[in-house]
Amino acid sequence: MTILKFGGSNFLDPEGYHRVARHLAQRRATGENKIVVVVSAMKEETDSLKAQMLAVNKEASPSNLDAALATGEMLSAYLLEAAVSRLGISVTSLNGYGLGIRTNSGFGRATVESVDPRPIRSALQEHDVVIAAGAQAINQSGRLTFLGRNASDLTAVVIASMLEEHACEIYSDVPGVYTGDPNLIAEAQLIPEIGYRTIAAMSRYGAKVLHHGAVEYAEKHAVTIFCKSLTNDGVVTGTTVTGHGNARSVTVARDAVVISFASVAARDNRRALLDQNGITTIDVEQNDRFGLCIMSETDFAMRLVEGTGIPPVSIGSTMVVTVLDASVRRVHLIGDYERAVSLARQLHEQMYPGAVAERFGRG
């Protein structure tokens, strides 16, 4: 059995669904008879759904918002099902109601509590390909829950574990994990193998890599993740995520949020709340105010802070450049995009001297 996950960057237009469908047909032609495919929403679809919901009701309930956001992945699953069916392959799709994954009622970023492989196994008995809508499940009361932004990775890892498959393949617009964002740092180097905890730290500090919850679940359940990219020339395999392998990196959180409070005590209380929910923060002091910088899962973090009933003094956006290695984490808050990118490039060059010459054949 093969477990695959395709991110939203694979579905920029209808042709993206046809391309993935052709890839699945090729996999079956080479002898892979049973395939489970987890899909993300089309690129930017989740943001669009959120904006529509908030335009109707800025105070929409968390459960209402979860159900609305999940429709993005549902639509993606139905579109891929249609593309696969067109090729004459027996296929069906499942959403959060039928995946056999149950969570708590932490709407916005629910936590997996139990799994039941029977629904997916039953679907596989009748069909060769089962498409799963990512990032969603149901709580113990049967209500739809959302596992968080970019959490389709987590769905793929959970399904691999529950089906007793110890590997899954995750496809995005880049073939693997790099020492820096390759879209910002041309000299960034592909990391062939990386440990769970190393890549989880990169994710928590804002790197657009695997969802940290997926990586942590994979470590707990011994699931190896293969990062790949589907190109016009075929499949490119980049990074294997396993229990070992360290790598230094420079991360850039382009949509970080700084929330400021009137006192140190207020800041410390909010930090404790965010820590309890697995959200990484750093302390900042600006204009005699005491703040926290949040580099990932900002929507969920803000929902937690707002839920305390005591609003922060101010909320602002920034960019965060972080150097990560085995023992050192250096964090730089920079409000200007160009300056942040320039600093990231400088820090990467310091970390990997000669990378420019090596990449472009100089020196």
Side-chain angles (χ1 to χ4, degrees), residues 20 59 62 85-86 92 112 145 147 171 176 210 214 220 259 279 310 358:
V20 172
E59 298 181 355
S85 177
R86 186 179 180 184
T92 191
V112 176
T145 56
L147 302 179
Y171 290 77
L210 296 174
K220 182 178 180 180
I259 49 178
I279 296 176
I310 304 175
E358 179 181 344

Side-chain angles (χ1 to χ4, degrees), residues 20 51 54 68 72 82 87 123 149 226 235 243 275 281-282 331 351 362:
V20 172
L54 297 182
L87 299 180
R149 295 295 297 268
F226 296 99
V235 175
D275 284 347
T281 63
I282 55 174
V331 180
M351 184 175 290
R362 298 194 298 269

Side-chain angles (χ1 to χ4, degrees), residues 92-133:
T92 191
S93 60
L94 300 173
N95 57 42
Y97 292 106
L99 288 174
I101 304 173
R102 287 188 177 267
T103 70
N104 63 5
S105 296
F107 296 105
R109 198 198 65 182
T111 300
V112 176
E113 292 189 336
S114 64
V115 296
D116 180 0
R118 288 176 294 181
I120 295 180
R121 290 195 185 281
S122 177
L124 286 168
Q125 288 180 352
E126 298 183 19
H127 303 278
D128 297 318
V129 176
V130 173
I131 301 168

Side-chain angles (χ1 to χ4, degrees), residues 225-244:
I225 300 173
F226 296 99
C227 300
K228 299 187 176 184
S229 182
L230 187 61
T231 71
N232 292 330
D233 298 324
V235 175
V236 178
T237 301
T239 303
T240 301
V241 182
T242 63
H244 49 82

Side-chain angles (χ1 to χ4, degrees), residues 22-360:
R22 290 193 295 270
H23 175 70
L24 299 179
Q26 292 170 0
R27 300 285 290 257
R28 291 195 67 254
T30 60
E32 299 179 36
N33 295 322
K34 299 294 182 179
I35 304 174
V36 178
V37 187
V38 178
V39 294
S40 297
M42 290 178 283
K43 192 172 184 178
E44 299 181 358
E45 179 70 8
T46 303
D47 286 333
S48 175
L49 290 168
K50 180 184 176 183
Q52 292 177 61
M53 282 293 294
L54 297 182
V56 173
N57 182 0
K58 291 184 179 180
E59 298 181 355
S61 69
S63 60
N64 187 196
L65 193 58
D66 269 20
L69 295 183
T71 62
E73 280 78 12
M74 291 181 185
L75 175 59
S76 200
Y78 300 145
L79 289 171
L80 184 56
E81 179 184 356
V84 173
S85 177
R86 186 179 180 184
L87 299 180
I89 299 172
S90 177
V91 58
T92 191
S93 60
L94 300 173
N95 57 42
Y97 292 106
L99 288 174
I101 304 173
R102 287 188 177 267
T103 70
N104 63 5
S105 296
F107 296 105
R109 198 198 65 182
T111 300
V112 176
E113 292 189 336
S114 64
V115 296
D116 180 0
R118 288 176 294 181
I120 295 180
R121 290 195 185 281
S122 177
L124 286 168
Q125 288 180 352
E126 298 183 19
H127 303 278
D128 297 318
V129 176
V130 173
I131 301 168
Q136 58 194 258
I138 57 172
N139 66 6
Q140 300 302 331
S141 300
R143 299 199 66 174
L144 196 70
T145 56
F146 198 52
L147 302 179
R149 295 295 297 268
N150 305 313
S152 293
D153 293 346
L154 175 57
T155 302
V157 172
V158 171
I159 289 176
S161 174
M162 67 193 287
L163 295 179
E164 298 181 333
E165 297 291 330
H166 294 288
C168 68
E169 303 173 18
I170 294 185
Y171 290 77
S172 67
D173 55 348
V174 293
V177 182
Y178 287 76
T179 55
D181 186 340
N183 296 311
L184 301 179
I185 304 172
E187 304 77 39
Q189 301 177 16
L190 182 67
I191 304 170
E193 185 174 11
I194 193 169
Y196 297 116
R197 297 184 184 183
T198 301
I199 192 172
M202 293 171 64
S203 176
R204 287 186 177 279
Y205 278 85
K208 300 299 183 182
V209 292
L210 296 174
H211 188 275
H212 65 81
V215 177
E216 290 158 2
Y217 197 97
E219 179 179 23
K220 182 178 180 180
H221 296 274
V223 176
T224 299
I225 300 173
F226 296 99
C227 300
K228 299 187 176 184
S229 182
L230 187 61
T231 71
N232 292 330
D233 298 324
V235 175
V236 178
T237 301
T239 303
T240 301
V241 182
T242 63
H244 49 82
N246 292 318
R248 296 171 297 163
S249 65
V250 176
T251 68
V252 180
R254 282 177 272 183
D255 52 0
V257 172
V258 175
I259 49 178
S260 299
F261 305 95
S263 67
V264 174
R267 179 187 67 185
D268 292 348
N269 287 337
R270 301 310 184 281
R271 189 201 310 112
L273 172 65
L274 296 173
D275 284 347
Q276 290 171 7
N277 286 273
I279 296 176
T280 299
T281 63
I282 55 174
D283 292 350
V284 296
E285 292 187 14
Q286 296 177 334
N287 302 322
D288 297 324
R289 291 178 178 173
F290 308 96
L292 292 172
C293 181
I294 305 164
M295 294 153 288
S296 62
E297 299 186 287
T298 53
D299 288 350
F300 180 62
M302 291 306 303
R303 185 184 296 183
L304 290 173
V305 171
E306 292 166 358
T308 64
I310 304 175
V313 173
S314 65
I315 303 173
S317 60
T318 190
M319 297 186 67
V320 181
V321 180
T322 306
V323 174
L324 296 173
D325 61 30
S327 59
V328 178
R329 292 178 183 174
R330 288 182 287 150
V331 180
H332 307 265
L333 273 67
I334 300 178
D336 180 75
Y337 174 81
E338 295 297 334
R339 286 181 55 226
V341 173
S342 177
L343 176 61
R345 290 170 177 165
Q346 292 174 27
L347 293 171
H348 188 275
E349 173 62 18
Q350 293 171 14
M351 184 175 290
Y352 292 96
V356 176
E358 179 181 344
R359 182 177 177 88
F360 295 100

